[in-house]
């Protein structure tokens, strides 16, 4: 990082756990930082670490060209920035939202004379400023804006630019989080099955980790099949077999007194794919069922 970049000043609006973690990382790296938060105490706590505390969002925006926003939701962004002159500002919105909200907010910012970059943070606050933790931020929107401020934006966490469609950072964010939640659901079901048995959770844990790692091949395999639309070549365990085998899984849950609510939606999806045309779909792998989710 050059000396010029190291001294680059910016504004941060929003000091929740994530915003505060990012603020401290920028300050520690030597960046002059102006902050504003709806609850003044959080901003004042950073003053001792070198931050300049703005009296209002308008004052915070006026202080610097680069304005980073990290608030609760899109409505909070609109409320905080309502009526503020954004002409000539570079607005980086790290607030979690939907792709549609990001696109609308980009248009809103551009109408007010600002360049816009949306972000999806793939990290917890404890991962901010810790490169070895592996956290990063998806960015989408103005590539010129991203390249201009890339070095500064990468101080708290790494960055991955995913396109000039402002909605793509949010879309990547939610896609990865959705996969994570699905994995958490499966893990939760597995632990529920063994609850009350002479199987210690700590003994099951390494087996789960190993198995889930081995099944990671499905990610790349599904990408290839969705691209080629070939769901049958090289299939080892076909859809018909999977649907039949799901019966054992559900009966086991019933025997163990465990609800199937976390896994049944996926089983039902596979059943629907097979029932639509057993002859055509029975020999497929399970990837084709993804097509049923698109309305």
């Amino acid at each position: 990082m050059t000396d010029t970049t190291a001294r680059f000043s910016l504004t941060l609006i929003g000091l929740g756990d994530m915003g505060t973690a990012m603020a401290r990382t920028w300050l520690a790296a030597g960046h002059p930082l102006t902050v504003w938060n709806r609850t003044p105490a959080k901003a004042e706590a950073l003053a001792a670490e070198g931050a300049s505390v703005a009296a209002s969002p308008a004052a915070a925006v006026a202080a610097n060209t680069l304005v980073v926003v990290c608030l609760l939701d899109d409505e909070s962004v609109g409320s905080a920035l309502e009526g503020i002159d954004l002409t000539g500002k570079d607005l980086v919105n790290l607030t979690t939202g939907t792709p549609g909200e990001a696109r609308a907010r980009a248009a809103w910012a551009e109408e007010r004379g600002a360049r816009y970059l949306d972000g999806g943070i793939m990290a917890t606050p404890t991962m901010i400023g810790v490169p070895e933790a592996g956290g990063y931020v998806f960015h989408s929107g103005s590539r010129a804006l991203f390249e201009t401020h890339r070095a500064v934006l990468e101080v708290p966490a790494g960055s991955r630019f995913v396109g000039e469609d402002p909605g793509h950072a949010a879309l990547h964010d939610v896609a990865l989080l959705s996969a994570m939640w699905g994995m958490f659901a499966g893990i939760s079901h597995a632990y529920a099955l063994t609850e009350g048995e002479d199987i210690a959770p700590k003994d099951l844990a390494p087996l789960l980790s190993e198995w889930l790692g081995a099944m990671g091949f499905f990610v790349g395999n599904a990408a290839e099949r969705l691209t080629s639309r070939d769901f049958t070549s090289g299939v080892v365990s076909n859809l018909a077999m999977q649907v039949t085998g799901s019966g054992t899984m559900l009966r086991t849950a019933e025997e163990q007194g465990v609800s199937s609510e976390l896994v049944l939606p996926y089983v039902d999806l596979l059943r629907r794919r097979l029932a639509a045309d057993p002859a055509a779909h029975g020999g497929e792998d399970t990837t084709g069922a993804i097509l049923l989710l698109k309305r």
Side-chain angles (χ1 to χ4, degrees):
M1 185 180 296
T2 65
D3 290 340
T4 300
T5 301
R7 294 193 298 269
F8 195 92
S9 62
L10 69 156
T11 287
L12 175 62
I13 294 176
L15 296 172
D17 290 345
M18 182 62 74
T20 297
M22 299 182 81
R24 288 191 165 128
T25 306
W26 275 312
L27 288 169
H31 293 276
L33 181 68
T34 298
V35 298
W36 178 86
N37 192 69
R38 191 175 300 276
T39 305
K42 290 186 176 181
E44 291 165 1
L46 289 170
E49 299 178 40
S52 298
V53 180
S56 66
V61 169
N64 295 291
T65 298
L66 176 58
V67 178
V68 178
V69 182
C70 188
L71 293 169
L72 177 64
D73 52 27
D74 181 69
E75 183 178 355
S76 301
V77 175
S79 177
L81 299 180
E82 184 63 35
I84 295 176
D85 183 11
L86 297 178
T87 304
K89 299 298 179 179
D90 290 342
L91 184 62
V92 179
N93 185 13
L94 302 183
T95 302
T96 300
T98 70
E101 287 171 341
R103 291 170 183 136
R105 188 59 62 191
W108 175 92
E110 289 163 6
E111 288 171 359
R112 288 158 176 78
R115 294 192 297 179
Y116 182 88
L117 192 67
D118 203 74
I121 304 174
M122 303 306 298
T124 62
T126 57
M127 298 167 70
I128 297 300
V130 185
E132 59 270 24
Y136 60 89
V137 180
F138 286 123
H139 288 290
S140 63
S142 170
R143 180 180 287 276
L145 171 54
F146 174 71
E147 295 299 341
T148 297
H149 299 298
R150 180 172 189 164
V152 178
L153 295 175
E154 288 184 337
V155 170
S159 62
R160 304 189 185 189
F161 187 77
V162 290
E164 297 198 349
D165 183 326
H168 278 185
L171 186 57
H172 279 73
D173 181 10
V174 175
L176 267 60
L177 290 176
S178 297
M180 179 189 74
W181 279 20
M183 181 183 69
F184 286 174
I187 293 170
S188 298
H189 185 80
Y191 277 123
L193 288 175
T194 57
E195 180 71 15
E197 295 283 342
D198 188 20
I199 301 173
K202 66 179 180 62
D203 293 333
L204 185 63
L207 300 176
L208 278 172
S209 294
E210 181 182 0
W211 179 247
L212 291 174
M215 292 299 101
F217 78 90
F218 181 75
V219 176
N221 183 66
E224 292 179 3
R225 292 189 184 281
L226 288 170
T227 300
S228 68
R229 288 301 196 261
D230 178 2
F231 303 121
T232 57
S233 297
V235 174
V236 175
S237 182
N238 64 41
L239 182 62
M241 184 186 301
Q242 295 279 9
V243 169
T244 299
S246 68
T248 300
M249 187 169 62
L250 297 177
R251 290 194 304 274
T252 299
E254 185 176 359
E255 286 181 6
Q256 295 298 108
V258 171
S259 169
S260 295
E261 62 191 288
L262 294 178
V263 296
L264 192 55
Y266 185 61
V267 172
D268 286 342
L269 190 72
L270 299 185
R271 288 172 172 171
R272 282 172 51 205
R273 177 70 172 178
L274 180 63
D277 192 337
H281 301 317
E284 297 178 346
D285 78 340
T286 60
T287 307
I290 294 172
L291 303 180
L292 297 179
L293 295 172
K294 194 72 175 180
R295 295 177 180 176

